Amino acid sequence: MSRPAGRTDWAEEEDEEIQALPQNSVVKNKDGTETFITYSTREDGKKIKTTRRIKKTVIKQIVNPRVAERKHWEKFGSEKGRPLGPQTDTVSVAENIVFRPSANWKANADDKNEEEKKKADLKQSKVKCRICNGDHYTMKCPFKDTMGVADDATPAEMPDDAPQPGGTGMGSGSYVPPHLRGRPGGGGGEKMGGKYERDDLATLRVTNVSEIAEEQDLRDMFSRFGHVTRVFLAKDRETGRAKGFAFVSYADRSDAAKACEKMDGYGFGHLILRVEFAKKPDGK
Amino acid sequence: MRPILLSGHERALTQVKYNPDGDIIFSVSKDHVVCAWYSHNGERLGTYHGHQGALWTVDVDPTSTLLATGGADNTMRLWEVKTGKLLKTWDFPTSIKRVEFSADGTLLLGVTEKRSGHLGTIVVYEINPDPEAKQSDEHVLRIVCEDSKPTVAGFSYCAYYIIAGHEDGSVSQYDAKSGELLFNREVHEADMQITDLQWAPDRTYFITASKDKTAKIVTTDALEVMKEFVTDTPLNSAAITPVKDFVILGGGQDAMSVTTTGARQGKFEARFWHKIFQEEVGRVRGHFGPLNYVAVHPQGTGYCSGGEDGYVRVHHFDKPYFDFLYEVEREHAQANL
C-alpha cells in the first residue's frame, strides 16, 4: 500500500519466485487517480491481475462532533497499526445495483420472465383451427361436428349435392367401415385429419419422371389444367435427385381428370410421363 | 447504489447493528470475532477478541461507549467500543441468543437458550455507563419462560415493558420492573419461531420476523398486529426504516437446504415493503446465502445486511429511493404545499 510509485523491475522478482504472486501495488497517477494492481490466483490455478483505477474525491460532510471524534479513533484488534482508510483485504466495492422502488413492483419479475417467454412463444406460433379459423386446435373446435374443414385452397370437401363417392360425410357420427363409406345414406365416420388423405380423389400419380425434374417444373406443367394444390416429387434423400415419381393434387377432381387425360404420355425431359389417378375413384 | 462488501468474517454473520449515530456498524458472526466498521466507507475500526464460541448477538449502548455481545460460549460480554477492551464477562449455563440495551443504556438484557435442564430465561443487568466503572455481577431481574423459550427480546419505550418473541410464534409482554407476564399473544403461526424483533425509532411499535414467512408490525402496548407482510420465504430479520415508510425484510431458505438450489430460487434478497400499504416495492440482490440480519441506518440513509455467506453488505440509498412516493402520497404532498 505504502510502496513508492517507482518500484523496481518486476522481472527480477519473478525470476526469484515464480510461484509466488507479485505484491499488490498502488500507483499514484498524475491526474490525481490511483491505480490499484492486485494479484490473485483463481481456482483453476491461473494468476489474475486486476488493475483498478480509482478516483478519490473528498466529500465534506458536517457530522455530529461525537461522530467526528470517532473518526480519529485508533484502530485496535486485528486492525491495530493499519493505516487509515479501507483495507483491501476486508473491504471491497460490489457492482452497482439499480434499486428503484416502484408501486406496482412485481414479485419475481425476473423469475417469471423465462416461463412467460415460453408461453408467449407458444402463443406466437399461431394455432389456427382449420374449421373456423379460430386460435385453437382443429381437434378442439366447437364446430367440429357441425362444420367441415375450411380450407381455402382445397374446396374439395365442399359438400356437393350428393355425397361424394368415398367421401366421408358428416352425417351421423357413428363409425362406417371404409368399404361402406360413400354409399348413399351410408354417412361417414369422422374424418381423420391428414391433409394428404383429404384430396386423394383429385390426386394424380405421375411416374417415369426424369431425374433432373424439379417440383416447380411439374407445377408449371400441371397447373395448366386447373388449380394445383400440392406437388410432391419424391427425391432421394442423399443425392437430392428425383426418384422418378410424383404426386400432383388438384383442387377440383374434374381438373385432375382432364390433366390425367392430357398429360399421360406427355414427353418431359427425355422420358414419357405416365399419369394416373392415385386412387381409383370408386375405392377399388 | 454501490454496496460496500465487508469481508472480515470467516463464517456466517449472525447480527449486524448500527450505533445510534449510524457511523459505526458492529457485526458478529459464528467465527468468534466481533468487528466494528465505519459505515461510510467500510473501513474496519477494529475487532474484539475474547469469545470462545460462535457469536449470536451484539448491541451497542446509546452513547457508543459500551458494546454487549453474547454467544455460544455461554457468556455475555461487555466491551469498550473505542479500544476493544473486554470490561465484563457474565457466565451462564447456556448460550446467549440476544442482548439489547434499554433506550437510555442503563439496562442490558440477555436472552438465554433453553437446553438440557435449563429453561429459557431473560436476564436484566444494570449497567454503569462509565467504561472505567465496575459492572455488577448480579442481575436485577430474571424472567423464566416455562411455556416456550424466548428467542428475541427488547425493552419498550422508557423501559416499561420487556417484549419477547418466542419459539412458538407468540409475543409476550413483561413488566420490566417486576418481571411479571402481563400478557401473551399468538402473533405468528403456531410453532413458527420468531426470528427477529426490531423497534421503531420511538419504540411504541416493533416488527417481528418469523419462519412462517411473514413479518408483522405489532404495537408495544396492546400487542396488536397493525400490519402484515406476507412473503414467500422464511424470514430471518425485519427492520423498519426511518425517513421513508418502508420495512426491509431479509431471509431465504434454511442454510441446510441452500446447496440444493440455485441462488435465484434461494430468494436471498432484501425485500422492501411499504410499511403502510403493505405492498412490496422492490428487492436488492447480492448475497449468495440467506440474509441473517438486516439493520437500518438510524438516520434512514442506508442499510446493511449480514448473510450466511459471511459478507456484510453496506448500502447507501441513492436518489430514487428517497424520491419514491405512491400516487396518493404525492397528491398529499402537493396539497400541503
Side-chain angles (χ1 to χ4, degrees):
Chain A
M1 183 90 190
S2 55
R3 270 173 187 278
R7 299 185 54 238
T8 50
D9 231 76
W10 307 32
E12 291 173 336
E13 228 174 80
E14 285 198 5
D15 283 343
E16 288 161 21
E17 267 186 302
I18 297 167
Q19 292 303 317
L21 292 168
Q23 273 222 295
N24 299 344
S25 68
V26 181
V27 182
K28 288 212 163 71
N29 301 326
K30 277 178 194 158
D31 57 354
T33 61
E34 283 179 32
T35 307
F36 287 76
I37 303 169
T38 52
Y39 299 88
S40 56
T41 317
R42 217 165 45 186
E43 279 154 22
D44 58 2
K46 290 221 170 104
K47 287 184 198 165
I48 306 290
K49 176 182 174 185
T50 316
T51 308
R52 274 180 295 191
R53 231 179 75 186
I54 295 174
K55 187 182 173 190
K56 291 184 177 170
T57 37
V58 178
I59 299 168
K60 284 205 177 142
Q61 210 178 0
I62 295 170
V63 294
N64 196 308
R66 294 194 302 266
V67 176
E69 192 209 316
R70 284 198 282 269
K71 291 256 156 67
H72 300 288
W73 280 357
E74 291 265 314
K75 293 190 175 183
F76 56 89
S78 308
E79 291 287 312
K80 195 172 176 137
R82 306 284 280 280
L84 211 72
Q87 303 298 302
T88 46
D89 60 339
T90 53
V91 181
S92 53
V93 178
E95 69 264 45
N96 199 16
I97 293 177
V98 181
F99 176 55
R100 287 173 185 283
S102 63
N104 44 8
W105 188 86
K106 275 193 210 85
N108 291 333
D110 297 335
D111 286 13
K112 281 188 183 158
N113 261 358
E114 283 164 35
E115 279 174 38
E116 266 166 21
K117 229 182 248 169
K118 268 186 202 163
K119 275 185 193 163
D121 280 354
L122 269 182
K123 276 180 192 161
Q124 288 278 317
S125 61
K126 279 169 205 151
V127 174
K128 194 176 152 198
C129 173
R130 274 188 286 119
I131 295 172
C132 65
N133 289 339
D135 54 353
H136 49 256
Y137 292 104
T138 310
M139 226 172 70
K140 293 187 177 160
C141 183
F143 307 114
K144 184 168 65 169
D145 296 331
T146 49
M147 283 171 70
V149 172
D151 197 326
D152 21 48
T154 50
E157 290 298 317
M158 294 309 278
D160 282 337
D161 301 344
Q164 296 238 346
T168 54
M170 298 113 206
S172 66
S174 61
Y175 175 74
V176 178
H179 66 277
L180 294 177
R181 283 180 199 160
R183 287 192 180 175
E190 206 155 312
K191 202 163 91 79
M192 304 292 289
K195 68 172 180 181
Y196 300 117
E197 223 169 294
R198 208 173 338 141
D199 39 15
D200 271 355
L201 291 169
T203 298
L204 301 173
R205 181 168 61 227
V206 185
T207 47
N208 208 23
V209 181
S210 157
E211 269 194 348
I212 52 166
E214 290 292 334
E215 269 187 20
Q216 194 54 45
D217 302 335
L218 293 170
R219 189 176 286 274
D220 291 344
M221 286 188 306
F222 282 88
S223 52
R224 271 181 249 162
F225 306 99
H227 181 62
V228 173
T229 57
R230 179 179 74 110
V231 174
F232 172 78
L233 177 66
K235 279 184 178 166
D236 191 295
R237 205 175 289 168
E238 274 159 35
T239 60
R241 290 180 131 185
K243 271 187 172 170
F245 68 96
F247 290 96
V248 178
S249 303
Y250 281 92
D252 194 349
R253 199 180 132 70
S254 57
D255 292 339
K258 212 184 332 169
C260 180
E261 195 184 305
K262 296 272 184 197
M263 291 300 288
D264 195 17
Y266 182 79
F268 172 56
H270 58 284
L271 297 169
I272 292 168
L273 295 182
R274 180 176 155 77
V275 180
E276 60 200 330
F277 271 95
K279 207 183 204 178
K280 294 290 181 282
D282 49 3
K284 276 175 203 161
Chain B
M1 187 162 80
R2 246 177 209 285
I4 304 171
L5 250 83
L6 311 181
S7 45
H9 289 289
E10 281 158 14
R11 289 195 58 200
L13 271 291
T14 48
Q15 197 171 21
V16 288
K17 271 267 167 81
Y18 279 93
N19 69 339
D21 289 316
D23 60 325
I24 298 177
I25 294 168
F26 297 98
S27 62
V28 288
S29 89
K30 292 180 183 170
D31 67 358
H32 314 181
V33 182
V34 191
C35 291
W37 315 80
Y38 287 114
S39 67
H40 70 289
N41 63 358
E43 180 181 356
R44 187 155 74 171
L45 169 63
T47 53
Y48 304 79
H49 294 271
H51 271 288
Q52 301 295 316
L55 287 166
W56 298 120
T57 176
V58 64
D59 197 22
V60 61
D61 82 334
T63 57
S64 305
T65 50
L66 299 174
L67 186 75
T69 56
D73 59 352
N74 301 350
T75 61
M76 181 163 84
R77 293 174 195 239
L78 196 70
W79 313 81
E80 189 181 15
V81 170
K82 185 177 174 179
T83 59
K85 196 170 85 181
L86 178 63
L87 300 176
K88 177 78 190 164
T89 305
W90 291 277
D91 279 300
F92 293 93
T94 58
S95 63
I96 303 293
K97 295 300 275 187
R98 184 58 74 109
V99 292
E100 197 169 301
F101 281 99
S102 63
D104 61 355
T106 57
L107 294 171
L108 172 68
L109 70 73
V111 175
T112 67
E113 177 73 292
K114 174 183 179 178
R115 204 187 295 146
S116 58
H118 298 280
L119 287 167
T121 63
I122 301 170
V123 286
V124 180
Y125 289 87
E126 251 171 20
I127 296 296
N128 189 330
D130 180 10
E132 305 296 325
K134 196 168 153 39
Q135 303 292 343
S136 80
D137 280 319
E138 285 307 306
H139 52 79
V140 293
L141 183 68
R142 182 163 181 266
I143 301 167
V144 181
C145 304
E146 277 163 13
D147 292 341
S148 177
K149 72 166 188 191
T151 50
V152 290
F155 286 103
S156 76
Y157 55 92
C158 305
Y160 285 155
Y161 310 116
I162 289 171
I163 305 288
H166 295 270
E167 195 188 20
D168 65 356
S170 67
V171 172
S172 47
Q173 189 188 58
Y174 297 94
D175 186 307
K177 290 277 184 303
S178 65
E180 187 194 342
L181 175 64
L182 298 174
F183 65 104
N184 178 292
R185 181 170 288 205
E186 287 289 333
V187 168
H188 286 280
E189 266 176 49
D191 291 324
M192 288 296 199
Q193 185 193 335
I194 294 187
T195 47
D196 193 21
L197 186 158
Q198 290 195 41
W199 295 96
D202 62 1
R203 299 201 184 210
T204 55
Y205 60 93
F206 55 88
I207 187 164
T208 56
S210 164
K211 290 281 178 208
D212 72 358
K213 306 183 178 181
T214 62
K216 293 184 183 180
I217 285 185
V218 183
T219 58
T220 306
D221 281 329
L223 299 187
E224 197 183 329
V225 176
M226 305 294 285
K227 299 285 174 188
E228 189 178 345
F229 310 97
V230 183
T231 69
D232 55 357
T233 183
L235 293 177
N236 292 330
S237 187
I240 298 168
T241 62
V243 187
K244 300 296 287 183
D245 287 325
F246 293 150
V247 295
I248 308 175
L249 314 180
Q253 59 189 176
D254 286 334
M256 57 189 287
S257 50
V258 163
T259 48
T260 56
T261 48
R264 181 53 68 74
Q265 270 106 48
K267 311 191 170 85
F268 310 136
E269 294 154 318
R271 296 127 189 276
F272 285 71
W273 285 67
H274 198 280
K275 183 169 75 181
I276 293 154
F277 300 120
Q278 302 175 71
E279 273 179 6
E280 192 161 6
V281 293
R283 284 186 190 179
V284 174
R285 212 176 281 161
H287 282 288
F288 43 91
L291 277 72
N292 285 340
Y293 208 85
V294 288
V296 180
H297 191 290
Q299 274 76 53
T301 57
Y303 84 97
C304 66
S305 51
E308 188 73 22
D309 56 5
Y311 286 102
V312 180
R313 295 173 73 94
V314 184
H315 307 75
H316 295 271
F317 295 130
D318 44 17
K319 204 162 170 296
Y321 172 84
F322 296 104
D323 287 347
F324 170 73
L325 284 176
Y326 267 81
E327 200 56 49
V328 284
E329 290 178 301
R330 205 171 292 134
E331 280 164 15
H332 184 71
Q334 288 277 317
N336 283 359
L337 274 180

